[in-house]
Amino acid sequence: MASVILRDELLCSICLSTFKDPVTLRCGHNFCRVCIGRVLDTQDESGVYSCPECREEFQERPTLMRNINLHNVAERFLITQQEQEEITWICCTYCVDSPVPAVRSCLHCEASLCDKHLRSHSKSPEHVLSDPSTSLEKRKCSVHKKILEYYCTEDAACICVSCSLAGEHRGHRVEMLDEASKKKKKKLRNVLQKLITKGEKTEERVRSLEEHRRKAQEKAAGEAERVTALCTDIRRRVDDLEKKVLSEISRQEKEESLSARIHQLEIKKDELSRKMRHIEELCNMTDPLTVLQEPDTGDLCDPEEKGDDEDTGGHDKQLHGGEGLEVAEISHTLCEVISGIRSGIYVEGPADILLDVTTAGNYLLISDDLKTATETQEKQKRPETAERFQYYNQVMSRRGFTSGRHYWDVDGSRSGRWRMGMCYPSIDRRGQQSLIGDNNKSWGLERYDNIEYSVIHDSEVIQLPDKICSDRVRICLDYEAGQLSFYELCNPIRHLHTFTVAFSEPLHAILYLGRPLFYGDGWIRICS
């Protein structure tokens, strides 16, 4: 019982095997160096590290401290277990009716003995007893069939007394096995000490590299923060420019006062008409005395007034001058930028996506409006056809796209695991490679328990650096341009990733939900 408890305490929670080169995190949990190293490598892209045992998070990659005591205990436990297993399977040679554990082995007789047969065994010197062993023949000379008692230092071989006196090792320097073993252990300890020293230097080098990487990450974080601040400042300046331009437009509109100007010109037009009628009357008179006695004849004969020319010219300059052109150019530029953004994200109306029940896996429920897929623990009784996904809970859309630009929005449950994306109709429906993104015929976005987000194609996983906060994702397809993009529908909309591919087949929308046995109830809905 105690051995079982000790064994459980010496198991790595990642590989579930006895510790090999155990290391300790700051939280106090121990793991094999290789196992925890692989886990931390997968967490490098996210920049947030956590203990697989207690989930405690670390802002930087934790330093792995070697646990010498645990290493020694695990090593001794493995040796003891090996010895116990070896002894457990050694039975008394003479107990043929039922197996009885042996307590000693006779090298001379090449037999293992229980307590009963050991008491009646010969006590003569040539009967050498040892711990129970199944390889007794290895302890005898293969030539003379005598017990190996000496060690030839010249040939580095274990020999018997006949080999030393009359055999091929005659005249060689020999030592007793115990003495030779002690000398070899001393050399091995020296080698072990050198290896320990070398290992410590290697660990120091690893710590130095980890510190260098930490500083590089801090530098990268600082650069990212600087870029973010710069973009924030640019957005602020654009907002200020927008306010300034709109204010200038409003000011010019008030200054020009076109309605008042039109009214003024109407008055002048009426005055000119009155003068013209009066002059025509004078021209039609036959009495020269009356014509000459008419007052202000100079003003009546000069209808083109200089002031009117200046006002008209100034008015034309206000309508067609430089300030108005500058505002128009700014407006045109902003409209072009907005048009470019809208053409990249917002296309002409959402695509109408309906799910194809004939492709749905038997652990998926499809809603009546063919918009929602929900995982279920109860297997559906659907016919097994070539179109149906058999290995994974996936479903394709009825409609395929061979041209144009389209988009649609998808909602996913906050729990469980799902993937969404697009695939060719030639995707495998039965094998383990039929999952979205695990082949070269599909492209997908994956969410795992609302913690990890990634995009996948041909089994290549790209971890997304930031967590998706919105429940809704937009999928945009530009077939001719060969672009499949994913956006988070937050405020403002955020681009996640774009696949660039020369599409060769029609593209169908495809959804996947993890089995409820492992991931819990989940659903995916295509928004109308």
Side-chain angles (χ1 to χ4, degrees), residues 285-328:
M285 288 182 179
T286 58
D287 185 358
L289 182 63
T290 303
V291 173
L292 294 175
Q293 289 180 346
E294 180 66 29
D296 299 329
T297 55
D299 292 339
L300 291 175
C301 294
D302 188 16
E304 296 182 359
E305 298 180 6
K306 183 178 180 180
D308 288 344
D309 291 339
E310 292 178 352
D311 291 345
T312 303
H315 176 63
D316 291 340
K317 289 181 180 179
Q318 282 186 337
L319 292 177
H320 306 289
E323 290 185 356
L325 179 61
E326 180 182 359
V327 173

Side-chain angles (χ1 to χ4, degrees), residues 59-71:
Q59 294 302 318
E60 57 188 44
R61 183 170 178 134
T63 302
L64 304 178
M65 303 300 295
R66 189 183 186 201
N67 195 327
I68 301 296
N69 294 331
L70 185 59
H71 172 78

Side-chain angles (χ1 to χ4, degrees), residues 323-337:
E323 290 185 356
L325 179 61
E326 180 182 359
V327 173
E329 290 179 351
I330 294 174
S331 178
H332 177 70
T333 302
L334 292 176
C335 287
E336 285 187 344
V337 172

Side-chain angles (χ1 to χ4, degrees), residues 153-188:
T153 58
E154 295 182 19
D155 296 331
C158 296
I159 62 176
C160 67
V161 62
S162 297
C163 293
S164 175
L165 297 177
E168 62 183 18
H169 298 279
R170 183 176 57 185
H172 292 181
R173 181 181 176 183
V174 298
E175 296 177 348
M176 297 297 294
L177 291 181
D178 291 342
E179 181 181 358
S181 176
K182 291 179 181 178
K183 290 182 179 180
K184 186 172 183 179
K185 287 181 179 178
K186 184 178 180 180
K187 291 181 179 180
L188 292 176

Side-chain angles (χ1 to χ4, degrees), residues 391-455:
Y391 200 89
Y392 290 105
N393 286 338
Q394 297 187 137
V395 60
M396 286 171 51
S397 66
R398 290 181 175 180
R399 180 182 180 183
F401 302 94
T402 57
S403 63
R405 294 161 53 201
H406 315 273
Y407 82 88
W408 58 96
D409 300 338
V410 185
D411 279 346
S413 58
R414 303 291 289 181
S415 62
R417 177 191 182 193
W418 51 250
R419 291 186 185 184
M420 59 180 66
M422 303 205 74
C423 70
Y424 290 151
S426 60
I427 186 174
D428 183 21
R429 310 296 173 97
R430 295 178 178 273
Q432 296 186 17
Q433 300 299 318
S434 60
L435 184 61
I436 306 174
D438 286 356
N439 48 72
N440 61 358
K441 296 180 181 293
S442 59
W443 300 259
L445 168 71
E446 181 184 68
R447 200 283 310 282
Y448 181 79
D449 273 347
N450 200 29
I451 298 175
E452 298 178 356
Y453 292 82
S454 57
V455 289

Side-chain angles (χ1 to χ4, degrees), residues 23-31 36 40 51-52 58 62-64:
V23 293
T24 305
L25 297 180
R26 290 199 299 268
C27 60
H29 291 105
N30 301 290
F31 307 91
I36 189 62
L40 295 177
C51 171
F58 313 99
T63 302
L64 304 178

